Amino acid sequence: MNTKKYAAEIIGTFWLTFAGCGSAVLAAAFPQVGIGLLGVSFAFGLSVVTMAFALGHVSGCHLNPAVTLGLAAGGRFPLGQVAQYIVAQVIGAILGAGLLYIIASGKAGFDLAGGFASNGYGDHSPGNYSLLACFVSEVAMTAIFLFIIMGATHGKAPAGFAPLAIGFALVLIHLVSIPVTNTSVNPARSTGPALFVGGWAIQQLWLFWVAPLIGGVIGGVAYRWLSDEPEGIVAGK
Protein backbone atom coordinates (compact mmCIF):
# COMPACT_ATOMS: atom_id res chain seq x y z
CA MET A 1 0.00 0.00 0.00
CA ASN A 2 1.38 3.39 -1.01
CA THR A 3 0.25 5.50 1.93
CA LYS A 4 1.78 8.62 0.42
CA LYS A 5 -0.83 8.56 -2.36
CA TYR A 6 -3.66 8.47 0.15
CA ALA A 7 -2.05 11.16 2.29
CA ALA A 8 -1.79 13.33 -0.82
CA GLU A 9 -5.48 12.82 -1.55
CA ILE A 10 -6.36 13.77 2.04
CA ILE A 11 -4.27 16.93 1.86
CA GLY A 12 -5.51 17.92 -1.59
CA THR A 13 -9.19 17.38 -0.81
CA PHE A 14 -8.75 19.19 2.49
CA TRP A 15 -7.47 22.21 0.56
CA LEU A 16 -10.21 22.06 -2.09
CA THR A 17 -12.95 21.92 0.55
CA PHE A 18 -11.46 24.51 2.86
CA ALA A 19 -10.49 26.97 0.13
CA GLY A 20 -13.53 26.50 -2.08
CA CYS A 21 -16.19 26.35 0.60
CA GLY A 22 -14.28 28.87 2.69
CA SER A 23 -14.49 31.40 -0.11
CA ALA A 24 -18.27 30.98 -0.09
CA VAL A 25 -18.71 31.04 3.68
CA LEU A 26 -16.16 33.71 4.61
CA ALA A 27 -15.67 35.95 1.59
CA ALA A 28 -18.52 35.72 -0.92
CA ALA A 29 -20.82 38.26 0.72
CA PHE A 30 -18.30 40.17 2.82
CA PRO A 31 -19.58 43.75 3.14
CA GLN A 32 -18.61 46.02 0.25
CA VAL A 33 -15.67 43.90 -0.98
CA GLY A 34 -17.22 40.42 -1.19
CA ILE A 35 -15.92 38.19 -3.97
CA GLY A 36 -19.38 37.01 -5.09
CA LEU A 37 -20.16 33.99 -7.28
CA LEU A 38 -17.31 34.80 -9.66
CA GLY A 39 -14.79 34.77 -6.84
CA VAL A 40 -16.12 31.53 -5.38
CA SER A 41 -15.95 29.90 -8.81
CA PHE A 42 -12.31 30.90 -9.19
CA ALA A 43 -11.50 29.77 -5.64
CA PHE A 44 -12.64 26.23 -6.41
CA GLY A 45 -10.74 26.22 -9.69
CA LEU A 46 -7.58 27.62 -8.14
CA SER A 47 -7.69 25.08 -5.34
CA VAL A 48 -7.47 22.33 -7.96
CA VAL A 49 -4.79 24.09 -10.02
CA THR A 50 -2.53 24.65 -7.02
CA MET A 51 -2.85 21.11 -5.71
CA ALA A 52 -2.56 19.55 -9.16
CA PHE A 53 0.84 21.17 -9.57
CA ALA A 54 1.81 20.24 -6.00
CA LEU A 55 0.48 16.68 -5.80
CA GLY A 56 -0.23 15.49 -9.33
CA HIS A 57 3.03 13.55 -9.43
CA VAL A 58 2.22 11.86 -6.11
CA SER A 59 -1.38 10.68 -6.38
CA GLY A 60 -2.72 12.06 -9.64
CA CYS A 61 -4.54 14.69 -7.55
CA HIS A 62 -8.08 13.37 -8.03
CA LEU A 63 -9.54 15.07 -4.92
CA ASN A 64 -12.96 13.79 -5.91
CA PRO A 65 -14.66 10.35 -5.76
CA ALA A 66 -16.36 11.03 -9.11
CA VAL A 67 -12.99 11.73 -10.72
CA THR A 68 -11.47 8.57 -9.29
CA LEU A 69 -14.38 6.40 -10.43
CA GLY A 70 -14.55 8.15 -13.80
CA LEU A 71 -10.84 7.60 -14.43
CA ALA A 72 -11.26 3.94 -13.52
CA ALA A 73 -14.19 3.65 -15.93
CA GLY A 74 -12.06 5.32 -18.59
CA GLY A 75 -9.24 2.82 -18.14
CA ARG A 76 -6.86 5.33 -16.56
CA PHE A 77 -6.87 4.16 -12.93
CA PRO A 78 -6.80 0.74 -11.24
CA LEU A 79 -10.22 -0.31 -9.95
CA GLY A 80 -8.62 -1.90 -6.90
CA GLN A 81 -7.54 1.49 -5.56
CA VAL A 82 -10.84 3.32 -6.01
CA ALA A 83 -12.26 2.62 -2.54
CA GLN A 84 -9.07 3.68 -0.75
CA TYR A 85 -8.88 6.92 -2.73
CA ILE A 86 -12.51 7.73 -1.97
CA VAL A 87 -12.04 7.14 1.76
CA ALA A 88 -9.00 9.44 1.75
CA GLN A 89 -10.91 12.13 -0.14
CA VAL A 90 -13.84 12.05 2.27
CA ILE A 91 -11.46 12.29 5.24
CA GLY A 92 -9.77 15.29 3.66
CA ALA A 93 -13.10 16.99 2.97
CA ILE A 94 -14.27 16.50 6.55
CA LEU A 95 -11.01 17.94 7.87
CA GLY A 96 -11.33 20.91 5.53
CA ALA A 97 -14.91 21.56 6.61
CA GLY A 98 -13.87 21.16 10.23
CA LEU A 99 -11.19 23.83 9.99
CA LEU A 100 -13.62 26.10 8.17
CA TYR A 101 -16.18 25.62 10.95
CA ILE A 102 -13.64 26.53 13.63
CA ILE A 103 -12.79 29.76 11.81
CA ALA A 104 -16.32 30.69 10.69
CA SER A 105 -17.85 30.07 14.11
CA GLY A 106 -15.48 32.64 15.58
CA LYS A 107 -17.63 35.42 14.15
CA ALA A 108 -20.48 36.78 16.25
CA GLY A 109 -23.82 35.71 14.83
CA PHE A 110 -22.49 32.74 12.88
CA ASP A 111 -25.29 30.29 12.11
CA LEU A 112 -25.15 26.98 10.26
CA ALA A 113 -28.67 27.74 9.05
CA GLY A 114 -26.95 29.81 6.38
CA GLY A 115 -26.02 26.53 4.71
CA PHE A 116 -22.25 26.46 5.29
CA ALA A 117 -21.71 26.01 1.53
CA SER A 118 -23.75 22.79 1.51
CA ASN A 119 -25.35 21.54 -1.69
CA GLY A 120 -29.09 21.20 -2.02
CA TYR A 121 -32.13 20.92 -4.24
CA GLY A 122 -35.69 22.23 -4.07
CA ASP A 123 -36.01 24.69 -1.20
CA HIS A 124 -32.29 24.33 -0.51
CA SER A 125 -31.17 25.07 -4.05
CA PRO A 126 -29.85 28.66 -4.25
CA GLY A 127 -32.25 29.28 -7.12
CA ASN A 128 -34.97 26.88 -5.91
CA TYR A 129 -34.38 24.44 -8.75
CA SER A 130 -36.23 21.11 -8.74
CA LEU A 131 -34.75 17.74 -7.83
CA LEU A 132 -34.76 16.71 -11.50
CA ALA A 133 -33.04 19.89 -12.64
CA CYS A 134 -30.38 19.52 -9.97
CA PHE A 135 -29.83 15.86 -10.80
CA VAL A 136 -29.43 16.57 -14.50
CA SER A 137 -27.11 19.49 -13.79
CA GLU A 138 -24.81 17.45 -11.56
CA VAL A 139 -24.66 14.51 -13.96
CA ALA A 140 -23.96 16.72 -16.98
CA MET A 141 -21.40 18.95 -15.26
CA THR A 142 -19.48 16.00 -13.82
CA ALA A 143 -19.53 14.14 -17.13
CA ILE A 144 -18.02 17.13 -18.92
CA PHE A 145 -15.51 17.59 -16.11
CA LEU A 146 -14.29 14.02 -16.53
CA PHE A 147 -14.23 14.39 -20.30
CA ILE A 148 -11.94 17.40 -19.93
CA ILE A 149 -9.75 15.66 -17.36
CA MET A 150 -9.37 12.62 -19.62
CA GLY A 151 -8.46 14.83 -22.56
CA ALA A 152 -6.11 17.13 -20.69
CA THR A 153 -4.16 14.18 -19.24
CA HIS A 154 -4.06 12.19 -22.46
CA GLY A 155 -0.65 11.14 -23.68
CA LYS A 156 -0.99 13.33 -26.77
CA ALA A 157 -2.18 16.44 -24.92
CA PRO A 158 0.23 19.39 -24.52
CA ALA A 159 2.54 18.53 -21.64
CA GLY A 160 2.29 20.51 -18.43
CA PHE A 161 -1.01 22.26 -19.06
CA ALA A 162 -3.45 19.72 -17.58
CA PRO A 163 -3.80 21.47 -14.18
CA LEU A 164 -4.79 24.72 -15.89
CA ALA A 165 -7.35 23.09 -18.19
CA ILE A 166 -8.87 21.15 -15.31
CA GLY A 167 -8.91 24.13 -12.97
CA PHE A 168 -10.51 26.43 -15.53
CA ALA A 169 -13.08 23.73 -16.28
CA LEU A 170 -14.05 23.71 -12.60
CA VAL A 171 -14.32 27.51 -12.63
CA LEU A 172 -16.69 27.36 -15.59
CA ILE A 173 -18.73 24.58 -14.01
CA HIS A 174 -19.23 26.70 -10.89
CA LEU A 175 -20.12 29.80 -12.91
CA VAL A 176 -22.94 27.84 -14.51
CA SER A 177 -24.24 25.70 -11.68
CA ILE A 178 -23.81 27.53 -8.36
CA PRO A 179 -27.38 28.91 -8.70
CA VAL A 180 -28.70 25.39 -9.31
CA THR A 181 -27.11 23.23 -6.59
CA ASN A 182 -24.37 25.40 -5.10
CA THR A 183 -22.23 23.13 -7.31
CA SER A 184 -21.03 19.79 -6.10
CA VAL A 185 -19.61 17.60 -8.92
CA ASN A 186 -17.68 16.16 -5.97
CA PRO A 187 -19.28 13.88 -3.37
CA ALA A 188 -16.44 14.43 -0.87
CA ARG A 189 -16.75 18.22 -1.06
CA SER A 190 -20.49 17.84 -0.45
CA THR A 191 -20.06 15.47 2.48
CA GLY A 192 -17.74 17.66 4.55
CA PRO A 193 -20.05 20.67 5.02
CA ALA A 194 -23.19 18.50 5.18
CA LEU A 195 -21.92 16.67 8.25
CA PHE A 196 -21.70 19.97 10.11
CA VAL A 197 -25.04 21.34 8.92
CA GLY A 198 -26.92 18.07 9.51
CA GLY A 199 -30.69 17.89 8.96
CA TRP A 200 -31.67 18.75 5.39
CA ALA A 201 -28.05 18.71 4.17
CA ILE A 202 -27.63 15.08 5.23
CA GLN A 203 -31.05 14.14 3.87
CA GLN A 204 -30.21 15.57 0.44
CA LEU A 205 -26.60 14.37 0.36
CA TRP A 206 -27.52 11.21 -1.57
CA LEU A 207 -28.06 13.26 -4.73
CA PHE A 208 -24.55 14.66 -4.54
CA TRP A 209 -23.11 11.18 -4.42
CA VAL A 210 -25.32 9.49 -6.98
CA ALA A 211 -25.38 12.17 -9.69
CA PRO A 212 -21.64 13.00 -9.75
CA LEU A 213 -20.66 9.32 -9.71
CA ILE A 214 -22.96 8.62 -12.65
CA GLY A 215 -21.63 11.67 -14.47
CA GLY A 216 -18.04 10.66 -13.78
CA VAL A 217 -18.55 7.22 -15.29
CA ILE A 218 -20.31 8.69 -18.33
CA GLY A 219 -17.49 11.16 -18.94
CA GLY A 220 -14.75 8.58 -18.49
CA VAL A 221 -16.39 6.00 -20.73
CA ALA A 222 -17.29 8.58 -23.39
CA TYR A 223 -13.73 9.86 -23.69
CA ARG A 224 -12.31 6.35 -23.72
CA TRP A 225 -14.61 5.55 -26.64
CA LEU A 226 -13.73 8.75 -28.49
CA SER A 227 -9.99 8.69 -27.98
CA ASP A 228 -7.62 6.81 -30.24
CA GLU A 229 -5.28 6.39 -27.27
CA PRO A 230 -7.48 5.49 -24.28
CA GLU A 231 -4.53 4.55 -22.08
CA GLY A 232 -3.30 8.12 -21.57
CA ILE A 233 -0.88 9.13 -18.86
CA VAL A 234 -2.39 9.66 -15.43
CA ALA A 235 -0.31 9.69 -12.29
CA GLY A 236 -1.29 6.98 -9.84
CA LYS A 237 -1.94 4.26 -12.38
Side-chain angles (χ1 to χ4, degrees):
M1 177 183 293
N2 189 337
T3 56
K4 291 183 179 179
K5 288 183 179 181
Y6 307 128
E9 287 297 303
I10 291 173
I11 294 167
T13 314
F14 160 85
W15 179 238
L16 181 150
T17 305
F18 174 74
C21 296
S23 70
V25 173
L26 304 175
F30 194 78
Q32 299 179 337
V33 293
I35 63 174
L37 298 186
L38 178 62
V40 172
S41 298
F42 270 95
F44 273 100
L46 290 172
S47 71
V48 170
V49 170
T50 51
M51 278 299 163
F53 279 116
L55 299 174
H57 62 286
V58 180
S59 69
C61 197
H62 299 182
L63 318 186
N64 182 340
V67 170
T68 299
L69 186 61
L71 290 174
R76 300 281 192 86
F77 188 74
L79 191 60
Q81 294 183 31
V82 169
Q84 297 97 311
Y85 261 53
I86 290 176
V87 169
Q89 291 154 2
V90 171
I91 291 172
I94 294 172
L95 292 174
L99 178 60
L100 177 58
Y101 176 79
I102 292 171
I103 295 172
S105 62
K107 179 182 178 181
F110 170 75
D111 188 355
L112 285 170
F116 198 53
S118 292
N119 303 111
Y121 57 83
D123 291 341
H124 299 288
S125 157
N128 297 114
Y129 285 84
S130 69
L131 169 60
L132 178 60
C134 292
F135 179 83
V136 171
S137 175
E138 288 292 322
V139 170
M141 294 296 172
T142 314
I144 293 298
F145 191 39
L146 260 294
F147 196 85
I148 292 168
I149 290 171
M150 292 281 288
T153 55
H154 190 281
K156 293 183 178 180
F161 289 96
L164 295 177
I166 294 167
F168 278 121
L170 194 58
V171 171
L172 183 55
I173 286 168
H174 278 78
L175 287 174
V176 174
S177 63
I178 285 178
V180 184
T181 62
N182 222 15
T183 308
S184 171
V185 303
N186 184 337
R189 166 265 183 271
S190 297
T191 299
L195 291 179
F196 287 86
V197 174
W200 68 265
I202 296 293
Q203 294 167 11
Q204 296 193 353
L205 183 59
W206 68 269
L207 176 68
F208 304 104
W209 274 87
V210 174
L213 291 178
I214 291 174
V217 170
I218 291 173
V221 171
Y223 192 87
R224 187 176 188 178
W225 170 80
L226 179 70
S227 174
D228 60 355
E229 188 182 338
E231 297 297 329
I233 300 173
V234 170
K237 184 173 178 182

